[in-house]
Amino acid sequence: MSKSRVVVAIDGPAGAGKSTVSKLLAQELNYLLLDTGALYRCVGLAATRAGVEAEPAKVAEVAQQLAANSSIEFRRNEDGSQSVWLDGEDVSVAIRTPENSQAASRVSAIPEVRAALMDLQRSVGDKGGVVVEGRDIGTVVFPQAPAKFFLTASVNTRSARRHKELLARGDTTSLEEVAADVKERDRRDSTRPVAPLKQADDAVLVDSTEQTIDEVVQLMAEAVRRIEGE
Ligand code: DC
């Protein structure tokens, strides 16, 4: 049976467990991992630092420059996790603060920002053998991906997970604030005119509310292996 390494698209709302699932699935399949949310987060951070976050045209320029200069890099840590570097600085923690999560969500609604990041994403995925996680991967970036999943969970579950993650990082944002944040990002990400968060028609819906991360990863890995062998 011939085995081809494919593009695996994983989309879904904030806090559905996408990052953890994508990381473990990439390890299980020995695939690369492309965290596209980190790209939008880097644009948000760079625009905030440049003081232009409120000016869409300038945010677009920031995104174009970051793409043209290959300013964003993913480096693999010894424990298998990835760190995110922006112009030679490790920004793995800085891009994940609640403030920068909102900034990333806002900049991601700017069409020129999405366009600037498109080629970057496609050039990584073109060779196959990559798990790409985001919001519009199965619908816009890789509509031809042979393996597509839409991972979701209830708002309560997603908020509780995100709250736990923040606590582990020493962030004391309350559960209520996290839930409000999750709902606000859901609303913005799924109602924006360009590439809104939406399940692709041919994506497999996976609800992680009642399933463990390992169960979800195994289910996806089996589906990808079936597709690889086709
Ligand atoms: O997956 P994340 O939470 O790290 O993503 C950060 C923000 O970037 C999120 O609010 C939506 C946006 N995003 C997007 O619009 N398209 C993607 N492919 C990935 C993320």
Side-chain angles (χ1 to χ4, degrees), residues 166-207:
L166 288 171
L167 270 185
R169 260 185 245 142
D171 188 313
T172 56
T173 312
S174 72
L175 179 59
E176 289 70 30
E177 283 172 284
V178 174
D181 196 70
V182 164
K183 284 183 202 156
E184 171 58 15
R185 282 215 286 152
D186 276 2
R187 190 198 57 74
R188 195 182 307 109
D189 295 344
S190 48
T191 58
R192 68 179 174 225
V194 189
L197 170 68
K198 150 172 162 293
Q199 185 183 344
D201 293 338
D202 53 350
V204 176
L205 177 66
V206 181
D207 188 328

Side-chain angles (χ1 to χ4, degrees), residues 85-102:
W85 293 66
L86 177 62
D87 285 324
E89 175 194 349
D90 184 351
V91 292
S92 312
V93 173
I95 59 169
R96 303 206 184 273
T97 62
E99 296 74 36
N100 197 60
S101 298
Q102 291 294 345

Side-chain angles (χ1 to χ4, degrees), residues 18 36-37 40-41 104-105 108 114 134-136 185 189 192:
K18 260 183 308 149
T36 64
Y40 290 95
R41 287 173 179 275
S105 173
S108 73
R114 307 200 71 82
R135 301 290 191 288
D136 60 341
R185 282 215 286 152
D189 295 344
R192 68 179 174 225

